[in-house]
Amino acid sequence: ERVGRLPPLVVPSIVFVVAIGVLVSRRPDAFLNPQFYAEDGALWFARAYNLGPFTSMLVPDAGYLQVLATGTGAIAVLFPVSVAPLVFALGAAIIEVSPAVFLSTRRASQLIPNLAPRLALAFFYLALPNVWTNSVVMTYASWRLGLLAFLLLVTRPRSRFGSLFDGVVVALCGLGGPLILFMLPVVIVHAVVRPAARSVPILTAAA
């Protein structure tokens, strides 16, 4: 009850800080000695550096624009080359903790009413064993973004900003890979069974 009286952003903010701390404890090298991983340097940063930040975002890879990764590369070229790997690491970390942060929001109570089980689930997600090699890596961030998109699709936003945020995340997910194809049936079912004002924009973003 006391937690419910706190401002809406207090608990998610605390979870965000703790979640970043968990990632740092698991991958200190990613923050203290960041290095490009796979396509991060060879494709996303190199294209942004050679073609320009905006042009590089329009070059498809494997049939997708990969806006998430190319957008990070576009931001990274604004900094010295020595700092670019850290930009990728920070971007990947923020996306990686986003599902855990979402589980701590009041909106996630639509899935699990009590906060304690949601926090436990968030910690379990962050502390999964034997996955540190793909943690804090932008190349794998699309999978985390897909999980966040799914959580958004199965819950209702509380404001227009929430609906806009849903559309942006779903659109990024769709532009970055085929995961949206597996979630599109969920969007359609929700639009039919639980019609709402956000159904049309979400369907448009998913398409």
Side-chain angles (χ1 to χ4, degrees):
E1 295 181 358
R2 292 181 179 179
V3 174
R5 298 173 185 173
L6 295 174
L9 295 180
V10 171
V11 175
S13 298
I14 295 174
V15 171
F16 175 81
V17 173
V18 173
I20 293 295
V22 171
L23 294 188
V24 172
S25 69
R26 302 194 72 181
R27 286 290 315 278
D29 60 298
F31 300 93
L32 301 178
N33 185 32
Q35 304 289 325
F36 284 128
Y37 180 91
E39 293 91 344
D40 292 353
L43 287 181
W44 320 133
F45 179 78
R47 284 180 181 172
Y49 187 85
N50 294 315
L51 301 179
F54 298 105
T55 303
S56 64
M57 295 179 65
L58 301 178
V59 179
D61 187 75
Y64 298 93
L65 290 178
Q66 305 286 354
V67 174
L68 186 63
T70 56
T72 304
I75 296 174
V77 296
L78 301 177
F79 298 87
V81 176
S82 59
V83 181
L86 180 61
V87 175
F88 274 84
L90 292 176
I94 292 173
I95 295 170
E96 186 168 344
V97 303
S98 59
V101 174
F102 175 82
L103 288 173
S104 69
T105 64
R106 293 179 181 178
R107 178 173 171 179
S109 63
Q110 300 174 35
L111 300 174
I112 304 175
N114 295 328
L115 178 61
R118 285 187 275 125
L119 293 179
L121 185 61
F123 178 78
F124 178 76
Y125 160 77
L126 293 168
L128 282 173
N130 302 320
V131 296
W132 66 270
T133 54
N134 59 25
S135 180
V136 197
V137 176
M138 183 57 67
T139 298
Y140 300 118
S142 59
W143 296 96
R144 272 78 178 199
L145 187 69
L147 176 58
L148 175 63
F150 177 79
L151 292 173
L152 294 175
L153 290 174
V154 296
T155 56
R156 286 179 176 269
R158 294 174 174 265
S159 64
R160 292 184 178 179
F161 175 79
S163 298
L164 177 62
F165 180 76
D166 291 4
V168 171
V169 171
V170 171
L172 287 175
C173 188
L175 292 171
L179 287 177
I180 194 64
L181 297 177
F182 299 96
M183 288 183 276
L184 189 57
V186 177
V187 180
I188 296 174
V189 169
H190 266 254
V192 174
V193 178
R194 300 174 62 183
R198 71 164 184 156
S199 297
V200 173
I202 286 295
L203 279 170
T204 303

